Amino acid sequence: SQYAGHMLTTADGQRLSLNGLLLEPGYALTSAPGGAMSDSGRVVSVARNPAGIWNVVRLDPATSAYPPPDPVVLTGTAHPATATAPWVAISLTWTASPTATAYVVERKGPTDAAFVALTPASGTIQTKYDDTAIAPQTSYTYRVLAIGLGGTGDPSNEVTVLSPPAMDTVPPVARITSPTNGAVVSGPVTVSATASDNVGLRGFEIHYQPNSGSEVLCGKAYTDLKLSDTLSCTWDPRYLPAGTTATLTAFAYDDLGNYVMSPISVTYNLAADTTQPPAVADTTAPKVTILEPANNATVSGIVTVRASGQDNVGVVLMEILDSSGKVLASSAQTGSITYLWDTSRLTKRQTLTVRARDAAGNIGSAKVTVRIGR
């Protein structure tokens, strides 16, 4: 060895010869190494690489061999699609092997003769893996191999998991039942609608236009999904010019964001209207206050989103929207809203918007931007 004759002194005072010791690549010991100490049977000292950078290195006997990592303990569960995690997967987690530097996940499907690697040959440093390349309602068997300096260890225990059903992509069915399409209306109008969904409704609203855009006339948000429901509210078109054609729309969405919009057209006939118009139109928008999270806060995991809305007449609908504009939660006819927001799969900065509507269609909103931490 080129280091023959050099000696190291361990922390407990032992004198060790460098004969038969191997140095990690890229580093060379000085003629008088210092600060050497014992590290579970190995030797740790100070060394310098060709660029002149000093570092602590570990030296091992040339005849020693690292044992392969111990097997890990694997668990697997089916992950059906949800509103906060809209994908279908089989989720795998395993214990960490102390001497492992990476892990290889392997799968055997119903038509596979042997296990097939799902991760690169170099493995993953994570101790979890979501398998999304799966067929619905199909059994898959998994195992994990731990890789370390001593090579690849024995496989973990095998787990077999039945994949979830296919993700729901069927939108709800909704329609305006009264008035009928093309009807001529006057005075306050009762607008009724029905909606249904193959899995369950998460929200149901009636929109109208013109106003300041397409606004919510009335709506419902469901804590527990409903397969079908009806909705009825009063629309007063007397602020419109005579002969105005307005659009009334039944809007319904399910837990995974599938939605339907079913519009009809009606014409306001002032000549047939013998009632008096409203004395004063409400033009004051609600005021929204986001109570938590705070703006520019760093959040992670499950985050409570809480907001309030105040209006001179009354708030009839509040909504929480994510950065993409998707409605995360809504609450009808209330001045407050609370939502548990799952940020575990989000990154970087995210913006939350809370909107409040009153019965006249006026909208108020507020926003906060948060950083996603880990």
Side-chain angles (χ1 to χ4, degrees), residues 90-94 105 118-119 124 126-132 142:
I90 292 177
S91 296
L92 304 171
T93 58
W94 56 90
V105 180
L118 299 180
T119 53
T124 172
Q126 304 294 326
T127 55
K128 61 182 179 180
Y129 183 84
D130 284 341
D131 185 10
T132 58
Y142 299 87

Side-chain angles (χ1 to χ4, degrees), residues 81-358:
T82 65
T84 55
W87 61 85
V88 172
I90 292 177
S91 296
L92 304 171
T93 58
W94 56 90
T95 58
S97 184
T99 59
T101 57
Y103 305 92
V104 173
V105 180
E106 294 186 336
R107 181 186 75 185
K108 184 163 64 175
T111 61
D112 295 327
F115 280 95
V116 177
L118 299 180
T119 53
S122 58
T124 172
I125 62 173
Q126 304 294 326
T127 55
K128 61 182 179 180
Y129 183 84
D130 284 341
D131 185 10
T132 58
I134 53 177
Q137 297 288 270
T138 302
S139 291
Y140 293 91
T141 301
Y142 299 87
R143 69 182 186 185
V144 171
L145 306 176
I147 303 173
L149 293 175
T152 301
D154 293 332
S156 70
N157 59 300
E158 297 180 5
V159 296
T160 299
V161 182
L162 179 66
S163 63
M167 187 170 68
D168 176 29
T169 59
V170 180
V173 175
R175 68 184 185 93
I176 302 288
T177 56
S178 177
T180 59
N181 188 38
V184 177
V185 299
S186 60
V189 180
T190 298
V191 183
S192 301
T194 62
S196 62
D197 186 69
N198 63 318
V199 175
L201 297 168
R202 179 58 73 187
F204 182 19
E205 299 171 347
I206 294 176
H207 295 190
Y208 69 105
Q209 189 179 14
N211 193 37
S212 52
S214 180
E215 306 299 342
V216 176
L217 184 61
C218 58
K220 295 180 180 180
Y222 306 100
T223 302
D224 298 321
L225 299 180
K226 296 197 70 172
L227 291 177
S228 62
D229 202 4
T230 60
L231 189 59
S232 184
C233 45
T234 300
W235 172 51
D236 193 339
R238 288 175 291 175
Y239 69 93
L240 297 173
T244 298
T245 297
T247 300
L248 300 172
T249 302
F251 171 71
Y253 56 95
D254 63 19
D255 201 38
L256 290 181
N258 302 306
Y259 67 91
V260 63
M261 301 182 71
S262 299
I264 66 167
S265 295
V266 295
T267 301
Y268 172 55
N269 183 3
L270 180 63
D273 188 358
T274 59
T275 62
Q276 293 297 316
V280 178
D282 177 17
T283 59
T284 303
K287 178 182 178 181
V288 177
T289 302
I290 299 178
L291 304 173
E292 55 180 320
N295 192 38
N296 292 323
T298 299
V299 301
S300 62
I302 304 298
V303 179
T304 298
V305 181
R306 190 163 58 92
S308 65
Q310 295 179 327
D311 186 66
N312 62 321
V313 177
V315 174
V316 299
L317 182 71
M318 293 193 68
E319 297 175 314
I320 299 174
L321 296 84
D322 64 13
S323 295
S324 67
K326 177 183 176 182
V327 176
L328 299 177
S330 60
S331 179
Q333 300 183 8
T334 179
S336 65
I337 188 169
T338 300
Y339 175 68
L340 296 180
W341 183 34
D342 185 358
T343 67
S344 59
R345 292 184 177 272
L346 302 177
T347 59
K348 300 180 181 179
R349 297 172 67 87
Q350 299 288 325
T351 299
L352 290 174
T353 302
V354 179
R355 298 190 307 206
R357 295 184 175 92
D358 62 17

